[in-house]
C-alpha cells in the first residue's frame, strides 16, 4: 500500500475475527519492519516477543486480562510484546555500534566521528545518561521481592522512545499487511511470568493483531485535538500554521479520512455485539 | 426478602440509569419490556435488587465521595451471570444482565461466542 | 511511495543540502502524520516545535547542540524538536477539553463501548480513578513515554515518503528551553533533522542491526523467532530489505560530498 494510505487506514481495531489465524509470514514481515526502525543513539534496545493466543493456557489468558482490556485479548489471535533492554546501554557506552558505523561510512570524520569521538565523547554522553542521579525502581516490588533494579529516568526516557518507534512501525506494517491492530494494556506482572522476560527489559503495551472483525473504517478516523495545540513554529506558543491545501492533498491521498463517528457506526457496533455474543 | 417483581426493577434508580444510558448510546428503543423482564429474572436468580447489585460492585471509597470498583464482587457477578445464562440457556439473556451492570459502570466481559 | 519502500529507504542521513530549503508543506505533512499516530487514552502526549537553521542565530544554534547533533544543526535546514508533554494526562483528566478517553469521546464515537464492557459511567467511576488519576498528585514525572515516540516515528516515515532525508539526534534541553521557550513540563524525545540529501538516497546502504534472533522471540523471551528466508527474499523484492552498508563507493562519495559541503575532509 502507499505509505499515506497506510497511515490513513490505521486505527485502533478492537474487534478481530477470533477464528482466523494470522499467517506466519505476515508476522515476520511486521518484525522485519521493526528491525529496520531507527535506533535511538544507535542503542540496540528493542526486544519483541510474539505470542500466539491459542498457545496460552486458559489460566494464562485469564491473568493477562485487566478490567479495561478483556474482549480484545479474547478476539485477537496474536499479541506482539515490545520491550527495551536496558543492558543494551553498556555496549553503547563502549562505542561498539558507533565504531561499526564509522567503518561502514555511515558516520564519518566530516561530522567529527572518529574512534576517539565514538568512545570518548559519544560513549561518555550515553554513560552520563546511564549514570544520571535521578533514579527510579524499574518496577514496583511485588511481595517480598525487593531485588528490582533502580535505573536512571534518563535511561528510561531513551528506552521508551525506542519502544514507541518500534510500536508505530509495527502498527503500520500490520495495516500494510491487511491486518487490524491495536496497542493495549495488559497485566504486566502476568506477562512477565508467562513470557519469562528478564528484569532488565522495560515492558510496554503489546500490540494485538488479527484480521478485522469490524469494517476497516471502524467508524471513521478517530478524533484529535486541534493541530495548533500540538505543533509550533520557532517557539512554543506560536502555532504552526495549518495550510488547508495540504490537508486537501492528504485527504486525496487517503491519509486524512472522514472522521468518526460514521452515521452507521452505532448500528455496526450493535451488530458486532451480536456477531461475537457480546453485550450492548 | 420478598420476591422482586418487575415493577420494583423498573423503578430502581440503577435500572433507569441503564435504560437512559442505552438510549443515549443506541437511540430510542420502542420497547424495554423484554429488558425489564430479563433483568427481573436475573434479580430473582441473584436474590438481589438492581440497586443492591450495583452497590455490591461500586461502593463509596474510604474518602467517601468517589465510588470504588470491588473487583471480587464484580467477578462474583460475572460468574453468577454465567450460571444464569446456563440456566436460561440464552446468551442474549445473559447479555441483558451484563448490559445492566456495564451501563452502571461495572465492566462485564463474557467469552466470545465460537 | 509504497510503505515497504518507505521503511526500507530510511537512513540516518548525515548529509543535507544546506542551500536547498524544505517546502513548508512537506513539513506540515510530517506533523500531520505524527498527529495521526496511535496514542494512549487518545491524549496529546506528543508535541513538536519546528525551527529553521536560517531563522536562528549562530548563538542560538550553538545552544541547541549536543555531540550527536552539532554538525546536523549546522547543515540541516529544518529541525523538528519532539517532546513528551508530562502534563498531558492531568490536562486531559481535569479539563476534558479534547476528545480523550477521559472526556468520554471514545464511548461516544463507538470506538469503545458496552461490547468491551465500557460505558460513560465506567469511564467516570473506574477508568478515571483507577487508570487515569493515580500518580497525578506527584506532578509531572520524567522518564519518557512511548507515545511521543509513536508520533515521531510516523512523522519520520512521512518525511522519507516525501523524498526527504532525516536523522534523529538528541538536542540540548536547557538550550531548547531558552531558544524555543518550551514549558517545564515538556521532556525532550529527540530532534528530527530534515532536509534534502546531499549524498545519494541510498547513502551508505542499509545500516547494520544486531542478529534478528537476538531481538525477536517466539512465545517465550528465551526462544528466538525463526526467520524464514523466503519471507526475507520477498521483502528484498519489495524494497523493505535493501543492500546493506557499506556500498562499495561509499568512501569516495563521502569525500566528494564533504568537499561539496565544505566539511572537514575525510583524513584517510
Ligand atoms: C501505549 C498505548 C496503549 C494503549 N492501550 C489501549 C488499551 O489498553 N485499550 C484500548 O482500547 N486502546 C488502547 N490504545 C489505543 C488508543 O486508545 C488509540 O490509539 C487512541 O484512542 C487513538 O485512536 P486510533 O488509534 O484509532 O487513532 C493504546 C494506545 C497506546 C499508544
Amino acid at each position: 500500500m502507499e505509505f499515506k494510505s497506510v497511515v490513513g487506514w490505521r486505527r485502533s481495531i478492537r474487534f478481530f475475527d477470533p477464528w482466523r489465524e494470522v499467517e506466519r509470514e505476515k508476522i515476520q514481515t511486521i518484525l522485519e519492519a521493526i528491525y529496520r526502525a531507527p535506533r535511538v543513539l544507535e542503542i540496540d534496545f528493542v526486544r519483541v516477543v510474539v505470542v500466539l493466543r491459542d498457545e496460552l493456557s486458559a489460566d494464562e489468558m485469564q491473568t493477562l486480562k485487566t478490567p479495561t482490556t478483556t474482549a480484545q485479548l479474547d478476539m485477537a489471535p496474536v499479541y506482539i510484546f515490545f520491550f527495551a533492554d536496558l543492558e543494551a546501554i553498556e555496549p553503547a557506552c563502549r562505542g561498539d555500534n558507533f565504531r561499526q558505523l564509522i567503518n561502514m561510512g555511515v558516520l564519518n570524520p566530516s561530522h567529527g566521528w572518529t574512534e576517539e569521538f565514538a568512545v570518548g565523547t559519544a560513549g561518555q554522553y550515553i554513560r552520563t545518561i546511564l549514570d544520571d542521579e535521578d533514579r527510579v525502581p524499574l518496577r514496583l516490588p511485588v511481595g517480598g521481592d525487593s531485588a528490582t533494579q533502580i535505573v536512571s529516568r534518563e535511561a528510561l526516557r531513551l528506552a521508551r522512545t525506542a519502544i514507541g518507534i518500534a510500536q508505530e512501525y509495527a502498527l503500520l506494517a500490520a495495516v500494510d499487511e491487511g491486518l487490524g491492530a491495536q496497542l493495549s494494556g495488559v497485566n504486566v506482572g502476568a506477562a512477565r511470568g508467562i513470557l519469562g522476560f528478564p528484569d532488565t527489559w522495560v515492558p510496554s503495551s503489546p500490540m494485538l493483531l488479527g484480521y478485522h472483525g469490524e469494517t476497516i473504517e471502524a467508524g471513521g478516523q478517530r478524533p484529535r485535538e486541534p493541530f495548533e495545540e500540538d505543533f509550533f513554529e520557532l517557539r512554543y506558543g506560536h502555532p504552526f500554521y495549518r495550510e488547508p491545501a495540504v490537508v486537501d492533498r492528504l485527504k486525496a491521498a487517503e491519509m486524512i479520512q472522514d472522521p468518526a463517528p460514521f452515521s452507521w457506526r452505532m448500528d455496526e457496533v450493535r451488530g458486532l455485539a451480536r456477531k461475537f455474543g457480546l453485550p450492548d | 426478602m420478598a420476591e422482586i417483581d418487575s415493577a420494583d426493577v423498573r423503578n430502581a434508580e440503577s435500572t433507569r440509569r441503564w435504560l437512559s444510558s442505552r438510549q443515549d448510546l443506541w437511540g430510542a428503543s420502542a420497547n424495554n419490556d423484554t429488558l425489564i423482564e430479563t433483568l427481573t429474572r436475573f434479580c430473582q436468580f441473584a436474590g438481589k435488587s438492581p440497586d443492591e447489585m450495583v452497590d455490591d460492585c461500586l461502593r463509596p471509597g474510604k474518602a467517601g465521595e468517589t465510588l470504588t470498583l470491588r473487583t471480587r464482587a464484580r467477578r462474583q457477578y460475572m460468574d453468577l451471570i454465567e450460571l444464569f445464562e446456563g440456566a436460561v440457556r440464552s446468551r442474549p439473556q445473559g447479555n441483558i444482565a451484563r448490559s445492566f451492570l456495564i451501563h452502571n459502570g461495572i465492566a462485564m466481559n463474557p467469552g466470545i461466542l465460537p | 511511495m509504497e510503505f515497504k519502500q518507505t521503511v526500507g529507504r530510511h537512513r540516518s542521513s548525515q548529509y543535507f543540502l544546506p542551500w536547498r530549503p524544505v517546502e513548508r508543506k512537506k513539513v506540515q505533512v510530517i506533523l500531520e502524520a505524527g498527529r495521526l499516530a496511535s496514542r494512549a487514552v487518545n491524549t496529546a502526549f506528543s508535541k513538536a516545535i519546528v525551527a529553521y537553521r536560517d531563522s536562528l542565530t549562530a548563538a542560538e544554534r550553538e545552544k541547541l547542540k549536543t555531540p550527536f547533533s552539532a554538525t546536523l544543526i549546522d547543515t540541516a535546514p529544518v529541525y523538528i524538536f519532539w517532546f513528551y508533554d508530562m502534563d498531558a494526562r492531568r490536562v486531559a483528566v481535569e479539563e476534558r477539553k479534547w476528545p480523550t478517553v477521559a472526556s468520554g469521546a471514545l464511548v461516544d464515537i463507538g470506538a469503545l463501548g458496552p461490547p468491551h464492557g465500557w460505558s460513560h459511567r465506567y469511564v467516570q467511576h473506574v477508568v478515571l480513578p483507577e487508570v487515569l488519576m493515580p500518580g497525578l498528585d506527584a506532578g509531572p514525572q520524567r522518564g519518557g513515554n512511548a507515545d511521543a515516540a509513536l508520533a515521531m516515528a510516523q512523522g519520520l516515515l512521512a518525511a522519507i515518503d516525501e523524498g526527504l532525508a532525516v536523522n534523529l539526534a538528541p538536542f540540548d534541553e536547557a538550550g531548547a528551553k531558552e531558544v524555543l521557550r518550551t514549558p517545564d513540563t515538556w521532556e525532550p524525545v529527540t530532534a528530527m533533522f530534515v532536509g534534502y540529501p546531499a549524498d545519494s538516497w541510498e547513502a551508505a546502504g542499509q545500516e547494520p542491526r544486531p542478529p534478528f534472533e537476538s531481538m525477536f522471540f517466539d512465545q517465550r523471551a528465551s526462544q528466538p523467532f525463526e526467520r524464514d528466508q523466503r519471507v526475507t527474499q520477498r521483502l528484498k523484492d519489495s524494497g523493505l530489505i535493501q543492500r546493506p552498508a557499506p556500498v562499495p563507493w561509499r568512501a569516495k562519495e563521502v569525500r566528494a560530498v564533504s568537499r561539496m559541503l565544505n566539511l572537514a575532509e575525510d583524513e584517510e
Side-chain angles (χ1 to χ4, degrees):
Chain A
M1 274 167 84
E2 282 291 310
F3 170 76
K4 290 191 178 69
S5 32
V6 171
V7 171
W9 282 106
R10 188 209 63 76
R11 57 212 64 177
S12 293
I13 292 300
R14 296 185 174 89
F15 293 94
F16 302 92
D17 276 347
W19 42 80
R20 185 162 173 193
E21 284 177 13
V22 176
E23 297 82 345
R24 202 176 158 82
E25 51 271 32
K26 293 198 171 191
I27 298 174
Q28 186 182 330
T29 299
I30 293 168
L31 304 185
E32 300 276 1
I34 302 170
Y35 198 42
R36 294 298 350 143
R39 300 181 294 192
V40 181
L41 296 178
E42 304 300 345
I43 302 172
D44 291 316
F45 273 124
V46 174
R47 303 287 181 271
V48 175
V49 186
V50 176
V51 172
L52 302 184
R53 175 200 58 199
D54 292 346
E55 289 188 18
L56 297 176
S57 69
D59 265 1
E60 287 174 330
M61 279 291 293
Q62 198 51 45
T63 55
L64 272 181
K65 293 174 181 174
T66 70
T68 50
T69 317
T70 299
Q72 292 110 304
L73 283 178
D74 285 334
M75 285 190 265
V78 181
Y79 317 147
I80 298 187
F81 284 83
F82 303 85
F83 304 90
D85 186 358
L86 293 174
E87 286 213 322
I89 303 181
E90 189 56 48
C93 296
R94 292 196 303 264
D96 294 1
N97 285 349
F98 299 133
R99 213 174 287 120
Q100 184 186 28
L101 293 172
I102 291 171
N103 290 335
M104 289 179 167
V106 175
L107 298 173
N108 296 289
S110 57
H111 287 55
W113 285 97
T114 57
E115 163 83 23
E116 199 190 332
F117 182 82
V119 181
T121 312
Q124 199 50 45
Y125 182 89
I126 298 176
R127 169 83 57 205
T128 314
I129 288 173
L130 185 62
D131 293 344
D132 192 79
E133 279 174 9
D134 184 6
R135 302 179 90 74
V136 280
L138 189 48
R139 61 176 158 122
L140 297 174
V142 231
D145 145 36
S146 57
T148 179
Q149 287 204 64
I150 311 288
V151 297
S152 91
R153 286 185 194 264
E154 285 295 281
L156 279 178
R157 179 171 67 83
L158 295 186
R160 292 190 170 125
T161 300
I163 287 172
I165 295 172
Q167 284 171 328
E168 196 62 36
Y169 266 64
L171 288 166
L172 294 175
V175 177
D176 185 53
E177 290 301 301
L179 298 166
Q182 184 216 353
L183 292 172
S184 177
V186 292
N187 181 331
V188 174
R192 189 184 302 277
I194 297 167
L195 276 62
F197 61 86
D199 273 349
T200 56
W201 289 17
V202 179
S204 68
S205 304
M207 178 174 92
L208 310 183
L209 179 71
Y211 280 90
H212 299 75
E214 56 189 315
T215 52
I216 57 171
E217 288 83 356
Q221 212 165 36
R222 272 60 186 267
R224 298 287 186 265
E225 62 289 341
F227 182 92
E228 295 76 13
E229 287 285 312
D230 299 333
F231 302 119
F232 304 88
E233 196 169 23
L234 301 181
R235 61 175 190 281
Y236 171 70
H238 178 261
F240 189 96
Y241 171 67
R242 191 181 197 200
E243 201 181 305
V246 177
V247 173
D248 289 343
R249 174 159 82 90
L250 295 177
K251 283 184 181 164
E254 297 189 336
M255 189 170 115
I256 298 181
Q257 302 195 4
D258 289 340
F262 287 179
S263 58
W264 43 272
R265 176 58 173 175
M266 289 312 187
D267 290 333
E268 178 182 27
V269 174
R270 288 189 96 181
L272 291 166
R274 291 191 295 275
K275 176 179 175 185
F276 297 112
L278 295 170
D280 65 2
Chain B
M1 148 179 149
E3 181 91 324
I4 299 152
D5 64 25
S6 58
D8 300 333
V9 168
R10 192 182 291 276
N11 290 328
E13 192 188 333
S14 54
T15 306
R16 287 200 302 255
R17 190 185 293 127
W18 172 42
L19 297 178
S20 118
S21 170
R22 278 179 69 97
Q23 183 166 338
D24 287 348
L25 208 57
W26 307 128
S29 161
N31 186 348
N32 289 324
D33 290 352
T34 320
L35 298 179
I36 300 289
E37 200 180 297
T38 305
L39 181 60
T40 307
R41 284 176 79 181
F42 178 62
C43 288
Q44 289 163 351
F45 187 82
K48 299 260 185 171
S49 74
D51 289 354
E52 281 170 338
M53 293 197 278
V54 172
D55 291 346
D56 283 344
C57 299
L58 274 179
R59 286 196 192 159
K62 287 196 188 80
E65 281 168 25
T66 51
L67 298 175
T68 307
L69 179 73
R70 302 285 147 132
T71 320
R72 196 175 306 145
R74 167 180 173 260
R75 174 119 300 280
Q76 281 165 354
Y77 277 101
M78 282 174 73
D79 293 344
L80 196 63
I81 295 176
E82 241 172 73
L83 287 176
F84 173 69
E85 187 173 299
V88 297
R89 297 208 196 151
S90 160
R91 171 59 72 97
Q93 289 196 42
N95 277 344
I96 288 174
R98 293 184 183 98
S99 170
F100 163 75
L101 288 168
I102 288 170
H103 286 269
N104 273 288
I106 303 137
M108 291 280 123
N109 304 99
I112 304 298
L113 279 190
Chain C
M1 199 185 288
E2 282 288 311
F3 172 75
K4 291 189 177 70
Q5 275 281 345
T6 313
V7 170
R9 283 170 83 116
H10 168 262
R11 303 287 181 275
S12 293
S13 298
Q14 300 286 328
Y15 298 102
F16 301 96
L17 289 176
W19 47 78
R20 181 166 176 187
V22 174
E23 299 82 340
R24 206 172 174 289
K25 55 184 196 263
K26 293 197 172 188
V27 177
Q28 185 179 333
V29 171
I30 296 170
L31 305 178
E32 298 275 1
R35 182 168 182 264
L36 294 174
S38 175
R39 347 84 64 84
V41 288
N42 205 25
T43 296
F45 294 105
S46 176
K47 305 282 176 188
I49 301 180
V50 178
Y52 310 93
R53 189 195 47 223
D54 295 344
S55 66
L56 299 175
T57 64
E60 285 173 329
R61 289 200 295 267
E62 216 48 47
K63 287 182 182 144
L64 294 165
K65 287 180 179 176
T66 65
F68 288 86
S69 53
T71 313
L72 299 170
I73 284 187
D74 287 337
T75 55
V78 176
Y79 325 140
I80 307 179
F81 299 95
W82 293 86
F83 297 87
Y84 155 46
D85 181 0
M86 298 180 281
D87 203 30
R89 184 158 58 104
R90 184 195 61 77
V91 171
V93 167
E94 287 176 9
E95 298 184 4
R96 319 259 171 111
K97 208 157 132 198
W98 308 124
T100 64
V101 162
S103 76
L106 293 205
V107 175
D108 284 333
I109 63 166
L112 265 172
H116 290 88
W118 284 58
S119 64
H120 281 305
R121 204 160 191 261
Y122 177 66
V123 170
Q124 193 170 345
H125 290 299
V126 180
V127 178
L128 275 167
E130 295 192 14
V131 181
L132 294 175
M133 282 153 70
L136 284 185
D137 290 348
Q141 298 287 308
R142 294 182 68 96
N145 176 305
D147 285 59
L150 284 155
M152 184 183 69
Q154 194 147 288
L156 174 111
L157 287 168
I160 299 167
D161 181 58
E162 290 290 308
L164 298 167
V166 269
N167 197 333
L168 300 177
F171 58 95
D172 189 86
E173 185 173 356
K177 246 188 207 131
E178 205 183 319
V179 176
L180 310 171
R181 299 189 213 147
T182 46
D184 288 341
T185 60
W186 285 19
E187 185 188 49
V189 180
T190 66
M192 181 186 289
F193 294 94
V194 186
Y196 280 92
D199 49 356
S200 58
W201 70 263
E202 211 180 341
Q206 229 171 21
E207 288 145 29
R209 293 288 179 263
F212 189 88
E213 297 71 20
S214 69
M215 285 176 63
F216 299 102
F217 302 89
D218 204 346
Q219 210 68 21
R220 300 283 178 264
S222 51
Q223 182 167 310
F225 190 98
E226 220 173 285
R227 199 179 192 192
D228 181 342
Q229 292 308 321
R230 281 169 307 186
V231 177
T232 50
Q233 185 53 51
R234 273 208 293 280
L235 294 175
K236 281 180 189 162
D237 298 342
S238 64
L240 189 140
I241 301 177
Q242 302 189 358
R243 181 164 29 193
V247 293
W249 57 84
R250 182 59 176 169
K252 286 180 184 155
E253 182 180 34
V254 165
R255 253 194 298 273
V257 170
S258 301
R259 278 197 305 270
M260 176 169 80
L261 302 180
N262 291 320
L263 294 166
E265 284 240 359
D266 192 331
E267 280 152 22
E268 281 166 73

